[in-house]
């Protein structure tokens, strides 16, 4: 569990200070786990927050951000990206095939690849736009019927299809464990699956469990609340 304090008063939130303290916590977790320093990137999840709240983190040099809605990202990020070159924007929410065009134009990484129809549409659109995004397969480690993601047993075949049939660059795996479960076995399963497939990227861990995820092999932790404070209601 994170020892990080999420401040409740909106004005008291300092995303830059939060990023610094979270980075320090992660680095000591990495050291304890005998992992290399700097081997976890923080995806600062800025969904529902307006550009003015995101800018200080960009000004401080943070480069990796996550959004979960294509429409919202299209409204906020083209201007921010123009001002801050080198940003990597990651889509961490579900993607409908009718938004693939906008998603390919707006994002650099898509973490929610979860079905063949989407893989096919992404391959065609990336070819059209001449942009090659990095992709993560979302794995439904809890096999929850209502949750997106490929069931663990089907991941090897889906990965092979993405690579061989659609020619996609699959960088890694992503999971969102069931809210009521201990996340540790889910993180361990995802890490084991990625290792078996020879995939380097592991996106796992959020505000409540990023240190555990860092210990268990995450390369990207997706942190919103602990950086930016509670999200405004959209
Ligand atoms: C919103 C979101 C996060 C960030 O959640 P926090 O608990 O605020 O850190 C991480 N991952 C996904 C997929 C999300 O949608």
């Amino acid at each position: 569990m994170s020892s990080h304090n999420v401040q409740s008063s909106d004005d008291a939130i300092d995303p830059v200070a939060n990023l610094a303290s979270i980075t320090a916590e992660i680095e000591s977790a990495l050291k304890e786990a005998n992992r290399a320093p700097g081997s976890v990137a923080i995806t600062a999840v800025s969904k529902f927050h307006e550009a003015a709240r995101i800018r200080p983190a960009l000004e401080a040099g943070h480069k990796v951000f996550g959004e979960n809605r294509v429409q919202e990202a299209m409204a906020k990020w083209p201007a921010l990206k123009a001002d801050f070159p080198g940003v990597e924007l990651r889509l961490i929410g579900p993607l409908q095939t009718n938004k693939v065009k906008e998603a390919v134009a707006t994002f650099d990484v898509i973490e929610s690849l979860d079905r063949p129809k989407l893989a096919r549409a992404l391959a065609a659109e990336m070819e059209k736009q001449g942009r090659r995004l990095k992709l993560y397969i979302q794995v439904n480690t809890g096999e929850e019927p209502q949750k997106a993601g490929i069931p663990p047993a089907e991941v090897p075949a889906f990965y092979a299809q993405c690579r061989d049939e659609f020619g996609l660059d699959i960088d890694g795996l992503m999971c969102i464990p069931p809210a009521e479960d201990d996340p540790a076995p889910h993180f361990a399963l995802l890490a084991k699956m990625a290792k078996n497939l020879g995939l380097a990227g592991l996106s796992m861990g959020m505000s409540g469990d990023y240190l555990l995820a860092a210990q268990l092999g995450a390369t990207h932790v997706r942190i919103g609340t602990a950086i930016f404070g509670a999200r405004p209601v959209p």
Side-chain angles (χ1 to χ4, degrees), residues 45 47 68 92-93 174 176 205-208 222-226 231:
V45 177
K47 65 187 188 197
N68 74 333
I92 60 172
M174 179 270 227
I176 309 170
M206 320 199 328
S207 286
R222 309 178 306 266
I223 306 180
T225 312
R231 280 181 281 279

Side-chain angles (χ1 to χ4, degrees), residues 7-15 49-50 53 228-232:
Q7 293 154 309
S8 55
S9 160
D10 215 48
D11 292 337
I13 304 280
D14 182 346
H49 292 290
E50 30 181 77
R53 193 161 194 85
F228 296 106
R231 280 181 281 279

Side-chain angles (χ1 to χ4, degrees), residues 15 30 59 75 84-86 91 100-101 110-111 118 140 142-143 153 158-159 163 232:
L30 288 176
E59 279 156 7
F84 298 94
L91 176 61
V100 158
K101 184 177 171 193
I110 291 173
E111 297 198 3
L118 179 59
N140 188 355
E143 307 200 46
F158 181 64
Y159 168 59
R163 189 191 52 193

Side-chain angles (χ1 to χ4, degrees), residues 123-194:
E125 189 58 37
M126 289 194 294
E127 173 80 27
K128 211 180 202 174
Q129 294 190 26
R131 266 175 73 73
R132 281 193 80 76
L133 278 62
K134 297 175 189 165
L135 304 170
Y136 283 54
I137 294 171
Q138 184 171 348
V139 183
N140 188 355
T141 56
E143 307 200 46
E144 296 171 279
Q146 82 287 2
K147 195 168 268 177
I150 302 279
E154 294 168 25
V155 170
F158 181 64
Y159 168 59
Q161 184 185 26
C162 287
R163 189 191 52 193
D164 303 335
E165 185 178 337
F166 302 123
L168 296 173
D169 295 329
I170 305 295
D171 258 33
L173 304 179
M174 179 270 227
C175 76
I176 309 170
E180 66 284 2
D181 277 19
D182 173 3
H186 296 274
F187 294 164
L189 172 64
L190 199 72
K192 188 175 150 213
M193 294 178 67

